[in-house]
Amino acid sequence: DRLKLSFEKRKQFAKSAAAASLFDIMVAKNSNLCVAADVPTAEKLLEITKLVGPYICVLKTHHDIVDNFTDDTAVELQKLAKKFNFLIMEDRKFAEIGSIALKQASKVAGWADLVTAHSNAGPDIVPALRSAFSTCPEGDKKGVFLVAEMSSKGNLHSPEYAKATANMAILYPEVVSGLVCQSPSVVPSLGVLQLTPGVNLETKGDSLGQQYNTPEVVVGEKGADIAVVGRGIVSVSDPAAAAQKYQTLLWQAYLNRLA
Ligand code: 6AU
């Protein structure tokens, strides 16, 4: 049972190098917190990264919503990732035929350790992204998270779709490090990580379809290995304190799950 196995033990089953290093980072930092740094400017992105860096295993970006994101911003992010020991995930959700996804991913593969992709176009999205990685230094250490399910109201992700997405993780175990999903039964093997967004202690959702749960529910019931918190941390007055609080609660939920 995946949910009863520690991250230390699960690391032995990781076939993707990025998943293996994620397990290491999570254990070293006692953190299963991914912050979604959804902020409008490069200055704010670097500022928030410095504040939350000590508490996270993954920093998730949407670099295309950042006004002045440049190569320098990417270099600074990479320095902070090294300093604080976390991985950078560009949540670009590639969803194209392989030849286009390869070209799109080449724009971010230089600085992102992990990228997200939809599975709707079929399994060849994965080797396309692997090709984009292969042109980068240490490209074989990069990984993909496939979106199997979504947190938003009315989404079209059926159980069959989620299962077919999980099968792509089995087909390309050295590239697919994890799945983005909402239910514990989707993840097909012990070495694959479950990333689950939709976590907020203060509110149940937003006005545009997002739906939130608590850390206890997301980790204990929905099966998240890594939980994504965006506005619950980046839109409050003290993001560092909020990140520390979510880190503590999410890690406690993981320990409770093991017990
Ligand atoms: O906590 P929030 O609502 O401020 O931010 C949630 C973050 C956003 C979304 O792009 C992302 O999580 N997300 C994803 C991801 C990670 O792929 C999938 C999903 O189903 N729901 C979702 O919110 O950056």
Side-chain angles (χ1 to χ4, degrees), residues 36 38 60 62 91 93 149-151 180 197 210 212 228-231:
D38 299 331
K60 194 174 78 58
H62 282 294
D91 190 7
K93 295 191 182 73
E149 294 176 321
M150 293 197 74
S151 61
V180 180
Q210 178 66 298
Y212 290 122
V228 179
V229 183
R231 285 163 285 182

Side-chain angles (χ1 to χ4, degrees), residues 222-241:
K222 289 177 159 270
D225 296 316
I226 301 175
V228 179
V229 183
R231 285 163 285 182
I233 289 175
V234 303
S235 301
V236 303
S237 58
D238 189 345

